[in-house]
Amino acid sequence: MANEVCFRTLHKDRPWRLETYQSEGGYEALKRILADRTSQEEIIEAVKKSGLRGRGGAGFPTGLKWSFINRAAPGDKYVVVNSDEGEPGTFKDRDILRYNPHALIEGMIICGYAIGAKAGFNYIRGEFWEPYERFEGALAEAREAGLLGENILGSGFDFDIHTHLGAGAYICGEETALLESLEGKKGQPRFKPPFPAMFGLYGRPTVINNTETLASVPDIIRQGADWFRGIGVENSGGPKLFSVSGNVVRPGNYEVPMGMPFAELLELAGGMRDGRPCKAVIPGGSSAPVLPGDVMMDLTMDYDSIAKAGSMLGSGAVIVMDDTNCMVKVLDRISYFYYEESCGQCTPCREGTGWMHRVVHRIETGAGRTEDLDLLDDVAKKIMGRTICALGDAAAMPVAGFIKHFRDEFQYHVDHKKCMV
Amino acid sequence: MSMRSEPMVRVDRREDKDALFTPEVRREIDAWIAKYPDGWQQSACMAALRIVQDMNGGHLTRSLMDQVADYLDMPAIAVYEVASFYSMYEHKPVGRHKICLCTNVSCMINGSDGILEHLSNRLGIGFGQITADGKFSLKEVECLGACGGAPMMQIGRTYYENLTPELVDQILDGLE
């Protein structure tokens, strides 16, 4: 039960080629939709029923997002893909782009059909040159085969896809910042509402989904919503790509059913390196609060299980840490990241991320004070919920999480001016 | 944040665009402009900045940014905003090979500190610096989305993963 959707072609030679994708059922869903003239409602209903939720981190139900588009509205609508993969620990979309770009292309076309869009943009982070070229190659193959462009397969349906390259900004993974960036501006998030479904790219109705989300769509249509839903568990339909990194024997991407016990996923990744104990795990990218290893061992990899433990499944980036890691140092690095990447628009985030980093850093370097732990909690609380986008929360949550679970380690740093480990 | 459904309008539109850049660079920028709806050539600003930066050996200048503004009918300030917001644009000279080393969590856990030490010792430079011969520069970057191959670095357009000091030496030895 692995590699059933986004990694369907992975076991084959040159998995990114059109012929490889087609040998695994690729473009069958699109062909059927165009031949049967399947109604837009039916497609949106199928995606809703499949239980597919946004794979970029927020976990919003995909079908519901599509249903927010006013399909009767005149004028252009857009499909936008968020391939601005930048959440520390996450490296799955890169592999979808490199190894199965046609699944994304087919998913984009199906989405365009379902919402009445004629154009789609794939926003790929600027550093991803190899994935960008791979995706461009796939677009050329699809156009050549009549699967993309005007009058797709003689159906009268037009849809074209363009790639946009980012230039290094974590914040552009936030959907409205990404739209601003696509419009040629600095990537600062917009106020919501209006949501992109109403006022998106160029002010037009827009669906914006993560790469993995859209790449999952063709198989939902081809094999059925129930099939997809059945792979996962309640509230977490389908399989999911987990990017496992850190102190494991075989770091990498694993596409496995949602609800798989963490212990099993860890085993797939070869277990802990050098047989060391699993001290801590960040289960969903660096924004997700850290959890102690023994807590993780009892959890399953789905939205509800991780949420109940006080963290989140996020992007599915699982960072595994053994007992040689100092939690203060790890938080020092994470807090620096958010300080570096805050777009500067909202005062609590712009100033607060700097405060948090400076305080964590002084604890890490042996200049911490006892009151610093409460100060950190206080600053984190003053950022949470007070910013336009979720970056503020994303910066605050890890601070609260690390101190909650590893307070003694922080205290030891303050008291002894050095590391416990 | 600026939420508008129209592109920014510039009143003093430059007509002699053929005087800007080279025909190759113009052709490359035009291919990006063609992706976006009519009137939205500003969407090609990021690509145009990257193209002229590459043309200029890896960094931007005020004059290049002004020319991009002229070419795309954008106010110069709008181009400066973009050029200063995104981390891949450089405003000072960089080495012929810009080494971007990730030091974020997964790379840190897997020894990026040691890779940095090795690079610094070998090249005699730290982050933000360039070797005297202009061959290499070193830059600290945030997560590049290749944590399965940590520690990693990017040189030019290429990712190098699962780095060890020996592998770093091999890679650098292989660069002209």
Side-chain angles (χ1 to χ4, degrees), chain A residues 356 375-385 392 395-397 399-400:
Chain A
M356 289 193 301
L375 177 62
L376 279 173
D377 260 339
D378 188 48
V379 176
K381 282 202 187 83
K382 288 189 165 113
I383 299 173
M384 293 278 281
M397 285 186 296
V399 172

Side-chain angles (χ1 to χ4, degrees), chain A residues 35 51 73 75 83 110 192 198 210 213 218 232 253 287 316 344 347 350-351 392:
Chain A
S83 297
I110 293 171
K192 293 189 269 191
M198 257 66 84
N210 167 258
T213 309
N253 285 309
S287 311
T347 309
R350 182 186 63 239
E351 302 302 323

Side-chain angles (χ1 to χ4, degrees), chain B residues 9-27:
Chain B
V9 178
R10 177 163 154 178
V11 283
D12 58 334
R13 198 172 173 276
R14 184 157 172 177
E15 299 301 335
D16 61 333
K17 296 204 167 61
D18 287 355
L20 300 165
F21 313 121
T22 61
E24 294 74 38
V25 167
R26 287 200 301 274
R27 211 162 25 242

Side-chain angles (χ1 to χ4, degrees), chain A residues 213-376:
Chain A
T213 309
L214 281 169
S216 300
V217 167
D219 268 319
I220 290 171
I221 303 298
R222 189 171 66 93
Q223 311 210 63
D226 290 330
W227 171 82
F228 187 85
R229 189 182 199 103
I231 292 176
V233 291
E234 184 73 19
N235 281 332
S236 303
K240 166 99 190 73
L241 284 171
F242 291 104
S243 301
V244 185
S245 68
N247 303 122
V248 296
V249 175
R250 283 190 303 275
N253 285 309
Y254 297 89
E255 186 176 48
V256 297
M258 288 263 214
M260 171 180 273
F262 168 74
E264 219 172 292
L265 179 64
L266 182 60
E267 212 168 290
L268 274 179
M272 298 300 296
R273 203 179 298 152
D274 303 327
R276 300 202 74 94
C278 175
K279 176 178 180 178
V281 177
I282 300 174
S286 72
S287 311
V290 67
L291 292 173
D294 55 345
V295 172
M296 276 308 290
M297 289 301 174
D298 294 330
L299 300 182
T300 53
M301 298 305 291
D302 55 88
Y303 295 105
D304 293 350
S305 166
I306 305 286
K308 258 184 234 148
S311 188
M312 45 187 212
L313 193 70
S315 59
V318 184
I319 306 174
V320 182
M321 294 172 275
D322 68 22
D323 61 344
T324 61
N325 292 285
C326 165
M327 295 295 106
V328 184
K329 189 178 179 194
V330 172
L331 182 61
D332 185 18
R333 187 62 188 84
I334 291 176
S335 63
Y336 177 76
F337 170 73
Y338 291 102
Y339 163 61
E340 177 72 21
E341 297 294 341
S342 172
C343 82
Q345 185 172 215
C346 309
T347 309
C349 173
R350 182 186 63 239
E351 302 302 323
T353 50
W355 269 90
M356 289 193 301
H357 172 61
R358 286 190 296 274
V359 174
V360 176
H361 189 66
R362 80 177 173 216
I363 298 174
E364 160 66 10
T365 50
R369 310 161 196 166
T370 300
E371 62 269 27
D372 279 351
L373 299 187
D374 293 332
L375 177 62
L376 279 173

Side-chain angles (χ1 to χ4, degrees), chain A residues 4-8 21 29 46-47 50-55 62 66 92-93 96 100 102-108 110 209-225 227-228 231 237-241 255 258:
Chain A
E4 287 199 88
V5 177
C6 294
F7 277 180
R8 174 172 287 280
Y21 184 58
V47 176
S50 74
L52 176 64
R53 293 170 61 170
R55 300 296 198 228
T62 306
W66 292 14
K92 64 193 179 64
D93 298 334
I96 294 174
N100 198 7
H102 283 288
L104 175 59
I105 293 171
E106 188 182 6
M108 289 178 76
I110 293 171
N209 282 143
N210 167 258
T211 315
E212 183 187 353
T213 309
L214 281 169
S216 300
V217 167
D219 268 319
I220 290 171
I221 303 298
R222 189 171 66 93
Q223 311 210 63
W227 171 82
F228 187 85
I231 292 176
K240 166 99 190 73
L241 284 171
E255 186 176 48
M258 288 263 214

Side-chain angles (χ1 to χ4, degrees), chain A residues 78 86 88-91 94 121 123 125-129 132 136 162-169 171-172 180-191 194 199 202-203 245-247 251 273 319 321 325 329-330 333-334 336-337 340-341 343 345, chain B residues 1-6 8 28 32 34-37 40 42-47 50 54 74 78 81-82 84-89 102-106 108-110 113 140-150 152 154 156-159 161-162:
Chain A
Y78 294 106
T90 318
F91 49 96
R94 175 179 179 232
F121 288 93
Y123 188 109
R125 65 177 297 174
E127 296 89 344
F128 277 180
W129 195 265
Y132 158 69
E136 284 285 312
H162 304 287
T163 313
H164 185 96
L165 275 173
I171 190 61
C172 290
E180 287 286 296
S181 182
L182 245 170
E183 292 180 2
K185 300 173 224 167
K186 40 182 187 169
Q188 291 193 319
R190 298 172 178 172
F191 276 116
F199 188 99
Y202 306 124
S245 68
N247 303 122
R273 203 179 298 152
I319 306 174
M321 294 172 275
N325 292 285
K329 189 178 179 194
V330 172
R333 187 62 188 84
I334 291 176
Y336 177 76
F337 170 73
E340 177 72 21
E341 297 294 341
C343 82
Q345 185 172 215
Chain B
M1 185 195 70
S2 65
M3 210 158 73
R4 31 193 311 162
S5 50
E6 300 296 328
M8 277 169 273
E28 218 181 316
W32 283 88
K35 297 177 175 208
Y36 309 104
W40 277 102
Q42 75 172 47
S43 278
C45 178
M46 290 170 72
R50 174 176 51 76
D54 287 350
M74 290 173 71
E81 280 191 351
V82 171
S84 58
F85 187 83
Y86 298 93
S87 65
M88 289 173 75
Y89 301 123
C102 174
T103 59
N104 210 303
V105 181
S106 298
M108 185 182 87
I109 290 174
N110 282 294
D113 289 357
E140 180 174 36
V141 292
E142 293 302 338
C143 183
L144 293 187
C147 326
M152 65 81 63
Q154 179 171 28
R157 288 169 173 173
T158 311
Y159 274 27
E161 303 179 43
N162 300 306

